[in-house]
Amino acid sequence: MINITLSDGSQRHFNKPITGLDIAKDISAGLSKEAIAIKVNDKIQDLKETIKIDCSIEILTKKSPETLEIIRHDAAHIMAEAVQDLFPDTLVSIGPPIKDGFYYDFEREESFTPDDFKKIEKKMHEIIKANKPFEKEIWSKKEAVKYFNKKQEKYKIEIINDIDDSEELSIYKQGLWIDLCKGPHSPSTKFVGNAFKILKLSGAYWRGDSRNKMLQRIYATAWFKDSDLQLYLKRIEEAEKRDHRKLGKDLNLFHLQDEAIGSIFWHPKGWTVYRICEEYVRKKLNKAKYQEVKTPSLIDRKLWEESGHWEKFRENMFITEGEDKKPMALKPMNCPAHVQIFKQGIKSYKDLPIRIAEFGSCHRNEPSGALHGLMRVRAFTQDDAHIFCTEDQINSETQKFCQLLMEIYNDFGFKEINIKFSDRPEVRAGEDKIWDKAENSLQTAIDKVGLPYTKDPGQGAFYGPKLDFILTDTIGREWQCGTLQVDFVLPDRLNANYIDINGNKKRPVMLHRAILGSIERFIGVLIENTAGNLPLWLSPVQIAVASISDDAREYAGEVYKYCEKNNLRTQLDIRNEKINYKIREHSNNKVPIILVVGKKEIEENTVSIRRLGSDKQEIKPLKIALANIKKEAYTP
């Protein structure tokens, strides 16, 4: 007898092994038609998989949040079949679902074109309409190698060769088309529906290694309803308008060029925004009793070996050597250097917590294909800090950090912040008992803070569990910026100590934390979140003073000087141009406030105030107008 507990708590009993589809039919005929997959003891599997044990199950339909990813995985297989049907010489590699869609990587001599996209979409509609069942088979490694060798699918062969010889492989068929895949999949191609669209093409090195062949990656999206697809396409269109790379050029903030790949050339306006962000955070850190430091960028290999970064992170480090031929690395992070500062002199438990902060210049050898404007760079600055504390202080320091982080995010205009708790990854440093202690400490601390969070298993740092703080912008996109990581490993590896109340040496706990994260990336997020319309306190030019006519030039100059005297970043525009032209230009440059002056303003000692995005104007006496603007422009 097999006892099945349903998601509503009711039970079903079967006297022989059954499938998820059998259970759905037993519940109702309607459910069996709508069922996409089944969750067995919290693990999602195909409806046709046999269940042989007592378990809890949930039948998944279009209403279940997990099924959209399954449908996108289906769509990836369907797209790959369509491509190989249309272009038979194409080789396939991998095609996973991703956030908001899916992709598949192909090897093909010719580049795909927009016309090819239309053909592929048409063929996908045909495959979906054919209602081909997704059928799972288990093959031996030998069988799989034989089949894919015959098909000359070298990428599949490479994947298979990395699998243990004794391991059986799951294969999925849709009609005659076959792919190596772990699944799960829906019952048939019809469940994908027609709310999908191919979006773009990009290059991607096989397995992300620049030494391998560049493949063609086709990105696409799929949704259950056409209305959801249309909303997503509108969001993409809006995102393109907000692209920080385009706005960075249009607003003369920064540029990138091939002679410094992955590094930013900040222009005066962009550097103004950068300095405002840095000084704002510095003010907050000073108030929160952090001690700011500066550590070397180039550090001997020996320290990276001791910390464990040489083993775990070397491929992402820029390595060089001096005349003595000793290998050195540009630091990819600041933590080992901060431990060296902590170790100078004897520390007592009375000194803890010690909060060491640095706007640390870091370098990481990111693949060129992964670089993306300000969002993914090779040279960046972190608002990095490390808190050295006792185990008993983890709760209070976590609470203080979360309060500081929320305050800063709110000041920058981010109100929706999600938290993810990540525990031990497969590749890590330190023993399991140390990880148990670190995870329990962080779990207790975040529970004590009382903020909601979700679990993200296996995504911790190699030295400890972490909290990631994820911002949601104005068009619903998520950005991971802040982090807090509990580390019992690095202080031990680098021999950091303090003297406890009994006069004994003890290891401190090290809390790694950042709020903005990479300042470059955070500014990119800010630009896209605001579409370049930065709030007054952040705007590189806060006010433009524009004259209507030649006889208003002198008064415009006086207004400009008065603005400068009040420490407002101001631009004077007394060009011989029509006022509408000036207003349009300053608006395009995202200047928040334009003060227009003409004959009437001269006579009344006033200014006409125009705000970005508004057709209205208000006239106020100069001193009153500037007093109000100065209050509004105050840095939080």
Side-chain angles (χ1 to χ4, degrees):
M1 181 68 68
I2 298 172
N3 301 306
I4 303 294
T5 303
L6 304 180
S7 55
D8 63 2
S10 63
Q11 289 197 331
R12 291 284 197 282
H13 308 285
F14 301 89
N15 57 15
K16 62 178 181 179
I18 38 86
T19 67
L21 187 58
D22 293 331
I23 298 171
K25 287 177 179 177
D26 187 64
I27 296 171
S28 76
L31 180 61
S32 68
K33 293 178 182 178
E34 294 179 3
I36 291 175
I38 185 170
K39 190 186 287 186
V40 179
N41 291 339
D42 289 328
K43 182 182 178 183
I44 300 174
Q45 62 186 47
D46 296 345
L47 277 175
K48 298 172 187 176
E49 291 251 12
T50 302
I51 299 170
K52 301 178 181 179
I53 59 170
D54 295 351
C55 59
S56 298
I57 68 105
E58 180 184 353
I59 304 294
L60 303 179
T61 68
K62 288 184 178 181
K63 295 178 181 178
S64 308
E66 302 94 334
T67 52
L68 190 53
E69 182 174 310
I70 296 172
I71 293 305
R72 288 169 175 163
H73 195 178
D74 293 351
H77 281 229
I78 292 168
M79 183 169 73
E81 179 186 355
V83 167
Q84 289 199 310
D85 194 22
L86 292 165
F87 312 103
D89 293 334
T90 304
L91 299 182
V92 294
S93 59
I94 58 170
I98 56 174
K99 180 176 170 54
D100 293 333
F102 59 95
Y103 70 78
Y104 215 112
D105 289 347
F106 302 97
E107 181 186 317
R108 184 180 177 228
E109 288 303 315
E110 297 177 47
S111 293
F112 291 105
T113 68
D115 284 340
D116 293 334
F117 287 177
K118 293 175 184 176
K119 294 175 186 175
I120 296 167
E121 286 179 347
K122 183 180 178 183
K123 180 60 70 173
M124 288 175 70
H125 283 294
E126 292 174 7
I127 295 168
I128 291 165
K129 188 177 180 181
N131 194 20
K132 298 181 180 182
F134 284 104
E135 297 178 308
K136 181 179 179 180
E137 294 184 0
I138 301 299
W139 289 7
S140 67
K141 183 174 178 180
K142 184 178 180 181
E143 287 176 302
V145 168
K146 181 179 179 181
Y147 175 80
F148 287 108
N149 260 330
K150 186 177 179 182
K151 300 279 287 184
Q152 296 184 327
E153 292 284 9
K154 61 183 180 183
Y155 299 106
K156 299 296 180 185
I157 293 296
E158 189 173 329
I159 294 170
I160 294 166
N161 284 335
D162 287 342
I163 298 171
D164 189 89
D165 288 346
S166 62
E167 189 175 338
E168 292 182 323
L169 307 176
S170 64
I171 303 292
Y172 276 85
K173 293 181 177 181
Q174 57 210 56
L176 298 176
W177 195 81
I178 296 175
D179 201 0
L180 177 71
C181 180
K182 290 183 178 180
H185 284 279
S186 67
S188 73
T189 59
K190 78 167 185 180
F191 284 85
V192 172
N194 294 308
F196 65 86
K197 186 170 181 60
I198 294 177
L199 301 173
K200 63 179 180 178
L201 179 72
S202 73
Y205 290 112
W206 168 236
R207 293 192 156 176
D209 190 334
S210 59
R211 294 168 296 184
N212 292 336
K213 188 174 181 65
M214 176 75 79
L215 305 178
Q216 297 186 65
R217 176 171 293 177
I218 298 180
Y219 284 97
T221 189
W223 301 82
F224 281 127
K225 297 185 294 185
D226 187 66
S227 57
D228 290 339
L229 172 63
Q230 297 309 318
L231 280 173
Y232 176 69
L233 295 177
K234 285 180 182 178
R235 200 166 89 206
I236 289 178
E237 185 180 348
E238 181 61 31
E240 288 174 353
K241 293 177 186 175
R242 294 167 177 262
D243 191 315
H244 73 282
R245 294 166 298 179
K246 179 181 182 300
L247 288 170
K249 182 178 181 181
D250 293 346
L251 301 178
N252 196 20
L253 300 176
F254 65 88
H255 82 272
L256 303 100
Q257 64 186 64
D258 290 343
E259 288 78 5
I261 293 175
S263 298
I264 310 301
F265 290 83
W266 289 102
H267 298 191
K269 287 183 179 179
W271 190 241
T272 297
V273 176
Y274 187 105
R275 286 190 297 107
I276 294 168
C277 291
E278 185 177 308
E279 285 305 317
Y280 162 81
V281 173
R282 179 173 282 116
K283 183 175 75 171
K284 295 290 186 183
L285 293 180
N286 288 338
K287 188 176 178 181
K289 307 300 182 186
Y290 284 79
Q291 304 172 58
E292 188 176 341
V293 300
K294 190 69 176 175
T295 59
S297 290
L298 201 58
I299 298 177
D300 192 284
R301 165 182 176 170
K302 180 183 176 184
L303 181 58
W304 300 115
E305 287 178 332
E306 291 174 352
S307 70
H309 290 93
W310 191 264
E311 177 189 354
K312 302 289 193 299
F313 211 78
R314 185 178 180 276
E315 63 183 24
N316 294 106
M317 297 168 77
F318 287 103
I319 312 296
T320 186
E321 59 183 33
E323 60 181 347
D324 57 2
K325 304 299 181 183
K326 291 175 65 177
M328 304 184 79
L330 282 170
K331 65 178 179 181
M333 62 276 295
N334 304 295
C335 30
H338 288 186
V339 177
Q340 306 314 302
I341 291 178
F342 176 84
K343 287 169 63 177
Q344 300 304 301
I346 298 172
K347 302 296 188 296
S348 162
Y349 71 95
K350 294 179 181 179
D351 299 320
L352 304 185
I354 294 174
R355 307 181 187 98
I356 296 177
E358 179 176 8
F359 294 96
S361 177
C362 298
H363 293 78
R364 294 181 185 174
N365 192 11
E366 301 282 4
S368 58
L371 300 176
H372 181 75
L374 299 177
M375 303 303 197
R376 192 80 174 265
V377 291
R378 287 176 174 167
F380 59 97
T381 300
Q382 287 183 311
D383 67 322
D384 205 3
H386 295 90
I387 302 168
F388 297 88
C389 63
T390 67
E391 289 184 41
D392 291 341
Q393 292 170 332
I394 292 175
N395 285 357
S396 59
E397 288 303 305
T398 298
Q399 186 168 3
K400 288 174 184 176
F401 171 71
C402 288
Q403 288 172 346
L404 178 63
L405 175 137
M406 294 296 180
E407 181 182 321
I408 288 174
Y409 285 168
N410 285 333
D411 285 347
F412 278 108
F414 295 102
K415 307 299 181 185
E416 187 179 339
I417 298 116
N418 297 316
I419 303 173
K420 288 187 177 180
F421 182 107
S422 301
D423 57 19
R424 68 194 75 186
E426 285 189 22
V427 179
R428 58 184 180 269
E431 299 176 358
D432 283 347
K433 64 180 181 180
I434 295 295
W435 275 89
D436 291 340
K437 185 162 65 168
E439 288 171 356
N440 290 336
S441 298
L442 185 57
Q443 181 92 56
T444 301
I446 189 61
D447 287 341
K448 198 99 173 169
V449 171
L451 293 171
Y453 62 90
T454 57
K455 292 287 186 74
D456 192 14
Q459 297 303 309
F462 80 83
Y463 44 75
K466 65 175 180 173
L467 301 175
D468 282 334
F469 297 84
I470 299 159
L471 311 178
T472 302
D473 69 13
T474 51
I475 59 173
R477 296 172 301 176
E478 293 184 337
W479 307 94
Q480 191 272 311
C481 294
T483 188
L484 176 70
Q485 303 162 2
V486 175
D487 184 0
F488 285 81
V489 173
L490 204 57
D492 188 56
R493 293 188 71 129
L494 296 181
N495 196 31
N497 301 294
Y498 71 93
I499 306 301
D500 70 9
I501 194 169
N502 298 315
N504 299 319
K505 282 186 178 182
K506 286 198 72 173
R507 302 291 190 205
V509 179
M510 189 174 179
L511 304 181
H512 305 243
R513 47 111 297 180
I515 296 177
L516 304 189
S518 157
I519 296 179
E520 287 78 3
R521 184 172 182 271
F522 190 80
I523 291 173
V525 172
L526 271 178
I527 292 169
E528 297 204 0
N529 183 52
T530 61
N533 302 317
L534 293 169
L536 189 61
W537 69 278
L538 273 172
S539 182
V541 177
Q542 296 172 309
I543 298 172
V545 180
S547 58
I548 294 175
S549 56
D550 287 348
D551 54 8
R553 286 183 173 184
E554 185 178 344
Y555 181 62
E558 292 173 9
V559 172
Y560 168 76
K561 289 177 183 177
Y562 193 70
C563 291
E564 290 278 286
K565 185 179 177 182
N566 281 275
N567 297 317
L568 293 164
R569 296 182 292 277
T570 311
Q571 185 176 337
L572 177 62
D573 188 350
I574 54 175
R575 294 174 296 167
N576 186 23
E577 299 284 357
K578 291 183 178 180
I579 190 62
N580 286 342
Y581 175 86
K582 294 180 181 180
I583 290 171
R584 184 168 60 252
E585 186 176 274
H586 293 302
S587 296
N588 288 338
N589 288 331
K590 311 291 187 182
V591 178
I593 295 174
I594 304 172
L595 301 181
V596 178
V597 295
K599 185 176 180 181
K600 183 178 180 182
E601 285 76 20
I602 296 171
E603 293 171 353
E604 298 176 358
N605 196 32
T606 59
V607 288
S608 178
I609 306 168
R610 289 176 174 264
R611 291 182 178 272
L612 185 62
S614 174
D615 293 330
K616 297 179 181 179
Q617 64 178 12
E618 54 180 337
I619 298 173
K620 286 189 175 182
L622 175 60
K623 289 188 176 181
I624 293 174
L626 265 292
N628 292 340
I629 292 170
K630 188 175 180 180
K631 286 180 184 176
E632 188 183 338
Y634 176 74
T635 301

